[in-house]
Amino acid sequence: MKTAGHSEATARRGLELTPFRGLRYDPDRVGSLASVTSPPYDVVVRPDGLHHLQSADPHNIVRLILPQAGTPSARTEQAADTLRRWLDEGILIADPEPGLYVYEQQDTEGILQRGVIGTLRVTDPAEGVVLPHEDVMPPVVADRAALMRATRANLEPLLLTYRGDGTAAEVVERTAGSPPLLATTTEDGFHHRLWSVTDPGDVTRVRSDLAGRQALIADGHHRWATYLRLHAEHPSPSPWDHGLVLLVDTARYPLRVRAIHRLLHGLPVADALTAVAGLFRTQRLDMRLPQALEALADASCEGNAFLLAGDGVFHLLDRPDPDLLARTIPADRPAAWRSLDATVLHTTLLEHVWRIPEDSPAHIAYIHDTAATVDKAERDGGTAVLMHPVREEVVRDLARQGVTMPRKSTSFGPKPASGLVLRALDI
């Protein structure tokens, strides 16, 4: 999909971030802050992961972001009832005054990410203030919208990036040198710290700096599309004019960009390989996953490449037939889009070679964890398609041209943990 492009210099209005009274868990009412957190809703894809989070603490945030009642309406009603009960019981309490929140994530491998959480003005795509880079799936937007309507809450921040290195970054750095509101370490090894910024001068410095910026959606396209839908449903002014976000200045804290893999249900690896014979070069790789991923990375330096798995070994697909690409990939898009692995996968392999509908959960699943994708393909007899990540500068350049990538093309991280700070629209 292509929309009007927007350079940062021509965006009419920049980012408008507003303080809010965050909802946070009372640490005296839960087992631990780590036990009530969760990855973002779309990362919790395996039932065993969901059950693990639910059993970690009866108040784990997953009970709000992924309620498990039978029907869609029952699930949203369950989440709304749970949120009301936790508020009434003091499990979640609102901070006494509005503020912005500085959030830090750090692991033992040297990754350090800091950003600022606030409520961001929801802007029309034509304004070019918030740049999407992926298409969305309408059923997912409808699901998230129903949940937000029922709870009247933004239950987890989406992740936006901008490049500033200005006064907002200075406030973030200075704030991180003071004692935090909370600190916890989650089981993935990440240390999380959160501070509240309520000083009027610091709030003004952050807001003034961001007012000249535009942001790229790193994670949360469906939630941003949900914000847009709910904003359109409610005449302004209303609480739906803003949505909860984490803004990270990648001039200071570059994000990691990882691939999101595909699991093709009902397509055995043998059938997938038969279909691509003569269209791609295929190589059988009798090696372990880390070495196979290295081979994929090497092949990706030369052009489009994919790893297929599911039959106990790996198969490298590369060097696609140029005539095949010319027949299947639209010629009216930028060269950078036409050469994306995700473009070749969706427009060439899925649509024309394997004939698999990309928007059908019965046929395809999108999974962040590489090993989990391979394991599930081997258990279910399907095909795992492992991808090589796209560079952030490619994503940003395409977004500024108004060109969206195929859905689930990238996974930026580290992603903010859900459950550390929430926003209730009526507080």
Side-chain angles (χ1 to χ4, degrees):
M1 178 179 178
K2 182 170 183 177
T3 58
H6 295 280
S7 70
E8 191 152 14
T10 59
R12 288 174 292 175
R13 295 173 64 180
L15 302 165
E16 297 181 21
L17 198 66
T18 302
F20 70 107
R21 291 180 63 196
L23 285 183
R24 296 189 293 112
Y25 282 98
D26 181 346
D28 295 330
R29 301 295 305 277
V30 297
S32 71
L33 290 175
S35 69
V36 294
T37 65
S38 163
Y41 80 96
D42 57 338
V43 180
V44 187
V45 294
R46 296 183 297 172
D48 56 338
L50 179 63
H51 297 153
H52 173 71
L53 291 166
Q54 289 177 328
S55 61
D57 190 286
H59 303 106
N60 189 283
I61 190 65
V62 78
R63 297 179 185 272
L64 297 181
I65 63 176
L66 285 174
Q68 293 300 295
T71 65
S73 60
R75 288 194 291 272
T76 57
E77 182 178 347
Q78 181 187 78
D81 290 344
T82 299
L83 179 57
R84 282 192 294 267
R85 186 172 70 254
W86 290 359
L87 289 170
D88 291 342
E89 295 174 355
I91 304 299
L92 288 168
I93 54 177
D95 282 330
E97 58 181 318
L100 302 175
Y101 294 84
V102 169
Y103 175 48
E104 176 189 274
Q105 294 165 274
Q106 187 171 17
D107 72 356
T108 57
E109 298 178 357
I111 293 175
L112 174 64
Q113 179 174 292
R114 291 176 180 149
V116 59
I117 295 174
T119 65
L120 186 68
R121 180 177 70 93
V122 178
T123 53
D124 186 276
E127 293 188 51
V129 175
V130 175
L131 303 176
H133 69 268
E134 290 182 358
D135 293 331
V136 297
M137 293 174 273
V140 178
V141 176
D143 174 75
R144 291 296 100 183
L147 181 65
M148 289 189 201
R149 287 191 204 98
T151 58
R152 289 190 60 79
N154 301 148
L155 300 172
E156 46 185 347
L158 55 87
L159 175 61
L160 305 180
T161 72
Y162 73 101
R163 297 189 65 80
D165 204 15
T167 54
E170 294 170 2
V171 172
V172 167
E173 297 292 322
R174 178 161 36 81
T175 301
S178 61
L181 285 176
L182 64 85
T184 190
T185 301
T186 46
E187 63 181 8
D188 59 3
F190 269 92
H191 307 290
H192 306 263
R193 296 198 296 170
L194 189 77
W195 297 261
S196 178
V197 178
T198 57
D199 176 78
D202 281 343
V203 170
T204 297
R205 291 181 188 94
V206 171
R207 297 189 69 198
S208 297
D209 185 19
L210 294 176
R213 314 289 183 188
Q214 69 180 176
L216 175 74
I217 301 176
D219 185 68
H221 282 82
H222 289 91
R223 280 167 283 166
W224 182 255
T226 301
Y227 291 169
L228 289 168
R229 173 179 292 192
L230 296 172
H231 171 62
E233 291 176 0
H234 297 83
S236 296
S238 84
W240 301 103
D241 292 345
H242 294 77
L244 188 63
V245 304
L246 165 65
L247 279 160
V248 173
D249 183 352
T250 54
R252 293 272 182 116
Y253 302 103
L255 272 66
R256 295 177 302 181
V257 186
R258 291 179 172 174
I260 301 176
H261 309 297
R262 275 65 170 162
L263 175 62
L264 308 181
H265 304 299
L267 179 67
V269 174
D271 292 349
L273 291 171
T274 297
V276 299
L279 302 176
F280 282 73
R281 184 179 72 168
T282 61
Q283 301 177 69
R284 177 187 171 105
L285 305 179
D286 290 300
M287 55 184 63
R288 300 178 67 85
L289 178 58
Q291 290 72 39
L293 291 174
E294 290 178 5
L296 174 62
D298 290 341
S300 295
C301 294
E302 304 298 326
N304 301 116
F306 311 91
L307 271 183
L308 303 191
D311 61 350
V313 297
F314 297 97
H315 305 269
L316 179 65
L317 270 61
D318 66 353
R319 299 186 185 179
D321 176 26
D323 291 338
L324 171 69
L325 299 183
R327 292 195 311 270
T328 57
I329 296 178
D332 60 345
R333 306 288 181 89
W337 182 89
R338 297 197 305 271
S339 63
L340 289 170
D341 287 339
T343 297
V344 174
L345 173 61
H346 282 259
T347 64
T348 301
L349 284 169
L350 291 181
E351 183 175 350
H352 291 278
V353 177
W354 293 327
R355 300 190 180 279
I356 293 175
E358 64 176 353
D359 57 354
S360 171
H363 293 89
I364 185 169
Y366 300 85
I367 304 177
H368 294 74
D369 186 274
T370 308
T373 312
V374 175
D375 290 344
K376 188 163 180 58
E378 292 181 346
R379 289 197 307 268
D380 299 348
T383 295
V385 183
L386 306 183
M387 310 277 287
H388 188 66
V390 184
R391 300 190 315 277
E392 180 183 357
E393 56 266 29
V394 173
V395 177
R396 191 178 297 275
D397 287 346
L398 284 171
R400 283 182 171 160
Q401 295 178 60
V403 178
T404 53
M405 300 164 64
R407 63 193 59 169
K408 298 295 182 181
S409 294
T410 60
S411 176
F412 284 85
K415 304 178 190 303
S418 299
L420 296 179
V421 62
L422 295 67
R423 176 204 179 204
L425 272 67
D426 298 327
I427 293 179

